[in-house]
Amino acid sequence: VATVVGGGGGLSPALTTKVLAGLEPAALQSTDLPSEPVTSGAEGGASLPPVPTPEAASSAGGHSAACPNGAEGMGIKVGLINVFISKQGGYGQDKIGIYPKALDNHRHYCKVHCWAFLLGQGQVAGRSARWAKVRNLIDNLPQYSYLVWTDADTVFKHIDANIIASLPAGKDIYFTWDLKKIGSRINSGVMIFRNTPFTRDFLQRVWDHNDGGKGTSDQRSFNHVYFKLSSEEKEQRIHFLDRRIYNSF
């Protein structure tokens, strides 16, 4: 769990961080929401209790009192979306015990900021489970001003920090570069999408590419579509956030 150098030369803590197997950052222990059991569904999917809509969150606490700096105060509708897969093996399998706590962290963050918490469907026919990410983004983006994607092993370290409010204005998609691949590979673990025609078309092109027809890696397709953009599109439409702050691991 890193403390990183901020733009002013001082120390600035990461907003989101990956959970490494066997390690539980303090953010996992700070939530005031109880852990809810995650049960495996068919073919490695997951079934969880229903999550509140933005309207339900409002009636529970009131936007002005519960989240004065939340989405409604900004005049936008924001959704946080992820997909939990209980049977991935390898990389995912060693974090099964972390996922319920991380999802509680996500729910808590959404409650504070009056975002919708969305748990997407966990399987896509003919493709690896990773592609549920892209399918759920395509299907849900039209209902929101912004969709924030976080992998299910990512946690918010600073619950009060509104990451949408900190975004540079005027861009359509916000990415981070991958560790040790700065400038050459996008990391798809934390991404922010503004609901625009460009963004919807970008996501559809990612889906259509389908890892070159292999149906394996969504991240390779995100990179394929990004690097096919014109220089003007990259400059005007895409912004790369500081990985050390928005996607630290």
Side-chain angles (χ1 to χ4, degrees), residues 5-246:
V5 178
L11 292 178
S12 175
L15 297 179
T16 65
T17 187
K18 279 281 192 180
V19 179
L20 301 179
L23 300 179
E24 295 190 18
L28 287 183
Q29 302 164 7
S30 65
T31 177
D32 61 6
L33 298 181
S35 229
E36 296 175 354
V38 177
T39 56
S40 297
E43 298 186 31
S47 112
L48 286 130
V51 295
T53 64
E55 293 72 25
S58 172
S59 62
H63 285 181
S64 59
C67 49
N69 298 316
E72 278 210 346
M74 299 169 62
I76 59 176
K77 186 178 180 183
V78 182
L80 174 72
I81 187 167
N82 52 41
V83 176
F84 172 84
I85 305 297
S86 63
K87 295 180 180 178
Q88 274 286 82
Y91 178 76
Q93 192 66 34
D94 59 4
K95 300 181 184 180
I96 290 298
I98 291 293
Y99 291 142
K101 296 179 182 179
L103 293 177
D104 281 344
N105 171 271
H106 297 174
R107 287 190 182 89
H108 185 47
Y109 187 89
C110 289
K111 182 178 180 181
V112 168
H113 295 285
C114 292
W115 291 9
F117 176 75
L118 308 170
L119 194 62
Q121 297 296 313
Q123 292 293 327
V124 177
R127 306 190 189 204
S128 79
R130 297 177 183 89
W131 281 94
K133 173 188 303 186
V134 182
R135 186 70 260 164
N136 279 280
L137 284 166
I138 291 171
D139 291 345
N140 286 280
L141 182 60
Q143 284 73 56
Y144 294 89
S145 308
Y146 289 86
L147 271 186
V148 179
W149 170 270
T150 57
D151 281 354
D153 61 349
T154 301
V155 297
F156 291 91
K157 290 183 63 183
H158 298 277
I159 297 296
D160 292 336
N162 186 333
I163 63 175
I164 294 297
S166 69
L167 296 176
K171 303 296 183 178
D172 295 88
I173 302 174
Y174 301 83
F175 288 130
T176 62
W177 292 116
D178 204 6
L179 182 65
K180 298 182 180 179
K181 294 286 185 178
I182 306 301
S184 63
R185 188 170 72 190
I186 293 167
N187 184 287
S188 61
V190 176
M191 304 179 289
I192 303 173
F193 300 91
R194 188 162 66 97
N195 184 3
T196 66
F198 174 87
T199 304
R200 295 191 297 272
D201 178 68
F202 185 98
L203 287 170
Q204 188 61 52
R205 281 186 277 168
V206 170
W207 177 261
D208 292 343
H209 180 254
N210 191 22
D211 195 12
K214 299 175 184 176
T216 304
S217 171
D218 66 287
Q219 186 162 282
R220 280 197 289 264
S221 289
F222 272 107
N223 279 276
H224 173 84
V225 174
Y226 170 75
F227 284 108
K228 288 289 186 180
L229 296 176
S230 67
S231 297
E232 182 179 15
E233 287 175 312
K234 292 175 185 174
E235 176 69 23
Q236 295 181 358
R237 304 290 189 172
I238 312 290
H239 180 80
F240 281 87
L241 301 163
D242 189 335
R243 187 201 63 77
R244 300 168 301 172
I245 297 175
Y246 289 90

